[in-house]
Amino acid sequence: MEDVYIIGGLRSNIGLKNGIFKNMLPEKLGGEILKCLVGRYDLSEIDEIICGNAVGTGGNIARLMTLYAGVSENVPAYTVDMQCASGCACIDIAFSKISSGQCDLIIAGGFESTSMQPARIYNKNDSRYNEENPIYWTAQFSPNEIGENVMLKAAERVVQKYNITNEELNFWILESHKRAKLARKKEVLSDIILSLDESNYDEGIRDNMNQRLINRMKPLLFKEGKITATNTCLINDGAAFIALCSKKFIQENKVKPIAKVVNTSLIGVNPLYSPVSAMKAADKLIKSVRLTYESISAFEFNEAFAVIDVMFEREHPRLIDRYNKFGGALAYGHPYGASGGIIMLHLIKSLQSVSGKYGVCAIAAAGGIGSAILIERI
């Protein structure tokens, strides 16, 4: 296998649904980040662009984005939909194609606009078609379940199965915002964030987050439930891309990489308990390379629900200072197709901040799929 390196990456600010990017076409949002990434690192002879997108208009929107960005029409681009894990899946595919010797330079990541998510309607021949209420927003992820709240239900099931307490959940709501606000104050992420369309902040970070506000939140699904609007990520718009390359590319172009991709993993779990897949994917990955959790200097888990944080803390209580060092999706948000690229960029920054060696990012996806990636800082 060939070694695979990360040259660098960029992300947009993360906007709320109908927020700072509400009027920006998703393909243009992604295209601006792509164009600036190509320009910043003077990337030519790109072999492929692999792009995650979960709720866009379809029709290989990655190709449309690439053309909007002004990248040569000779560069192929294609869209990957693994829902929340789409961005990580793209990095995973890029790793495989470069390590196998098929490619030397790939840009991978994703973009999302929930503000412009198109309404969908099942065909009238489909048994799922509902004449009285034909529009649906959430695809079917499991043969045994369909509806708009399937991910919330999955998180609630995890809470019940593992007897997760409100106190455990509340800690991570406050901690995520605390860490994100401190990172913003210190501008530790400023060099990987590109301001677009006069956007200059991550819209989801709530300065007023406090225990009193948390206590006022009502359960989203059931009267006795514990999943609320504060321990669940918001709905967002954003884009993030990473440039990955071979050792040959580095030598020929005299590029200095910032990290090396060591290995990746994918795992399937019961889709009714999908949030557990992030931890399961990380377990599989770390075991595959014969490392231990203690040997990992930084972790970035996509914080779609605070239950994901609690599961990490229960297994590795002594490592929580290495976990989501700059806050997670409870603060920043979760623009589905872009989140894999976002957490990879944050992971690299976290490793750099502590001069660490190994870092792991992991993400849980609808349908019960977990994705994880191990990198080594250079």
Side-chain angles (χ1 to χ4, degrees):
M1 287 176 58
E2 301 288 337
D3 288 338
V4 179
Y5 297 92
I6 294 175
I7 300 171
L10 281 175
R11 75 163 172 89
S12 68
N13 287 119
I14 302 169
L16 294 174
K17 181 179 181 180
N18 295 321
I20 52 178
F21 296 129
K22 66 179 181 181
N23 295 317
M24 195 170 198
L25 288 172
E27 51 267 36
K28 290 189 176 181
L29 173 59
E32 287 296 322
I33 300 299
L34 175 62
K35 179 171 67 176
C36 289
L37 178 64
V38 169
R40 175 177 290 194
Y41 295 100
D42 192 23
L43 301 176
S44 58
E45 299 181 7
I46 303 166
D47 290 308
E48 294 182 5
I49 295 172
I50 313 173
C51 179
N53 187 261
V55 297
T57 53
N60 194 13
I61 195 171
R63 173 63 171 171
L64 180 60
M65 174 206 68
T66 300
L67 296 174
Y68 268 125
V71 176
S72 169
E73 62 185 20
N74 296 324
V75 178
Y78 51 96
T79 310
V80 173
D81 178 2
M82 201 182 287
Q83 292 295 294
C84 308
S86 299
C88 276
C90 293
I91 297 171
D92 192 333
I93 295 168
F95 169 72
S96 297
K97 300 201 83 168
I98 295 171
S99 65
S100 67
Q102 295 180 71
C103 298
D104 287 308
L105 176 61
I106 295 177
I107 297 177
F111 63 95
E112 206 70 73
S113 173
T114 57
S115 297
M116 292 196 179
Q117 179 180 358
R120 290 177 168 85
I121 300 176
Y122 285 113
N123 188 284
K124 290 185 178 181
N125 296 327
D126 193 315
S127 61
R128 293 167 294 186
Y129 176 77
N130 184 337
E131 188 171 0
E132 293 182 0
N133 188 21
I135 292 177
Y136 73 94
W137 299 95
T138 303
Q140 183 174 2
F141 303 124
S142 165
N144 302 315
E145 190 172 42
I146 187 171
E148 306 300 335
N149 295 320
V150 293
M151 294 302 290
L152 294 175
K153 289 179 180 178
E156 195 71 70
R157 289 189 195 100
V158 173
V159 165
Q160 299 304 319
K161 181 177 181 179
Y162 294 94
N163 297 312
I164 294 173
T165 67
N166 284 321
E167 289 72 23
E168 288 177 299
L169 296 169
N170 294 348
F171 170 81
W172 283 105
I173 301 167
L174 295 171
E175 191 67 13
S176 186
H177 280 82
K178 175 185 173 182
R179 295 182 185 190
K181 286 188 285 186
L182 183 61
R184 181 182 61 188
K185 181 180 179 180
K186 293 186 174 182
E187 299 184 336
V188 295
L189 303 175
S190 60
D191 62 329
I192 60 167
I193 301 176
L194 179 70
S195 292
L196 296 176
D197 202 21
E198 300 182 356
S199 69
N200 55 13
Y201 62 99
D202 291 319
E203 203 173 9
I205 302 174
R206 288 165 278 187
D207 291 314
N208 66 337
M209 184 58 69
N210 56 61
Q211 190 61 53
R212 186 177 177 184
L213 175 62
I214 292 171
N215 292 341
R216 293 209 310 262
M217 293 294 106
K218 302 296 182 183
L220 292 174
L221 294 178
F222 314 114
K223 185 177 180 180
E224 303 301 323
K226 294 179 182 176
I227 298 301
T228 70
T230 49
N231 60 41
T232 301
C233 68
L234 298 173
I235 301 173
N236 302 90
D237 305 335
F241 287 100
I242 312 288
L244 301 101
C245 69
S246 65
K247 187 174 183 178
K248 175 186 173 185
F249 181 89
I250 287 172
Q251 292 171 338
E252 291 182 351
N253 293 274
K254 296 180 172 57
V255 173
K256 185 178 180 180
I258 57 175
K260 175 182 175 182
V261 182
V262 179
N263 207 355
T264 66
S265 73
L266 281 174
I267 198 166
V269 303
N270 185 335
L272 300 181
Y273 297 87
S274 55
V276 306
S277 63
M279 196 77 210
K280 298 289 187 183
D283 288 346
K284 178 183 176 182
L285 176 62
I286 292 171
K287 183 178 179 180
S288 74
V289 292
R290 298 181 180 179
L291 292 174
T292 64
Y293 270 83
E294 287 71 20
S295 65
I296 308 300
S297 302
F299 300 89
E300 283 289 332
F301 279 41
N302 189 56
E303 200 179 50
F305 302 98
V307 297
I308 294 170
D309 305 327
V310 174
M311 296 192 72
F312 182 94
E313 181 183 12
R314 284 186 174 186
E315 292 293 324
H316 307 286
R318 294 183 297 176
L319 302 180
I320 62 173
D321 287 343
R322 306 182 192 181
Y323 176 87
N324 288 5
K325 185 176 178 65
F326 305 126
L330 291 180
Y332 295 103
H334 172 26
Y336 316 123
S339 288
I342 292 168
I343 62 173
M344 176 58 78
L345 287 170
H346 287 203
L347 177 64
I348 293 169
K349 296 297 292 185
S350 183
L351 273 178
Q352 291 172 343
S353 74
V354 296
S355 299
K357 183 175 183 180
Y358 292 118
V360 169
C361 65
I363 195 165
I369 293 179
S371 174
I373 302 171
L374 172 67
I375 64 168
E376 180 180 350
R377 182 182 67 91
I378 297 176

